[in-house]
Amino acid sequence: SNLEILTKLNETESWFEAMKVGAVWARENTESTVISSLEGDTKAEAGEIICRGPDGDTWVQEAEKFAAKYQPTNDSPDDGFQKYIPIPEHSKVMAAKVAEPFQISTHRGILHGQADDYLLKSIEDKHTDFPESIWIVAENIFATTYKPV
């Protein structure tokens, strides 16, 4: 459960600051749908942003949060996605590596992490032991799209 995994990460002081440095490709979602991500199926509502990482992984973000963290580039492939880069002063998160396979429950669905994947929370939740918003980033993706601060 979220309580179990967060309690363990808090007790072992596993959280560290990291910064998103990798580009993403994104488009606005036009209808309520389900997106298949590496961590599981996630709900996406109309108006939310569907994001795609450099390895083809997909996830959903609320439009306001996305706009605050990324700026568009002039690169727009033919598939409707536009390339965005992180805004450095708004791209910090708190991250913790999880040694064993795990799952979390989010408002978008149940997500599954593999051993050595990362659990992330917003930098605004740095001092919040049990935040509402948490998400998973696969170890190999974290290594190429985030850097410790």
Side-chain angles (χ1 to χ4, degrees), residues 78-100:
D78 293 335
D79 61 2
F81 283 79
Q82 181 172 358
K83 184 178 182 181
Y84 290 78
I85 55 174
I87 300 170
E89 58 270 23
H90 299 290
S91 64
K92 286 185 181 177
V93 297
M94 296 302 295
K97 193 171 194 172
V98 182
E100 62 278 332

Side-chain angles (χ1 to χ4, degrees), residues 12-96:
T12 57
E13 298 181 0
S14 299
W15 296 103
F16 64 93
E17 283 189 32
M19 180 180 289
K20 177 83 179 244
V21 294
V24 301
W25 287 259
R27 67 172 173 79
E28 186 175 344
N29 188 35
T30 57
E31 61 186 1
S32 183
T33 188
V34 174
I35 302 296
S36 290
S37 74
L38 293 174
E39 297 80 24
D41 290 345
T42 57
K43 297 178 215 164
E45 300 300 330
E48 292 185 312
I49 305 298
I50 297 176
C51 303
R52 185 177 66 209
D55 295 329
D57 52 305
T58 57
W59 68 96
V60 181
Q61 279 199 7
E62 293 171 13
E64 285 180 21
K65 289 182 181 180
F66 182 84
K69 296 192 305 188
Y70 296 96
Q71 59 190 5
T73 69
N74 293 326
D75 186 2
S76 294
D78 293 335
D79 61 2
F81 283 79
Q82 181 172 358
K83 184 178 182 181
Y84 290 78
I85 55 174
I87 300 170
E89 58 270 23
H90 299 290
S91 64
K92 286 185 181 177
V93 297
M94 296 302 295

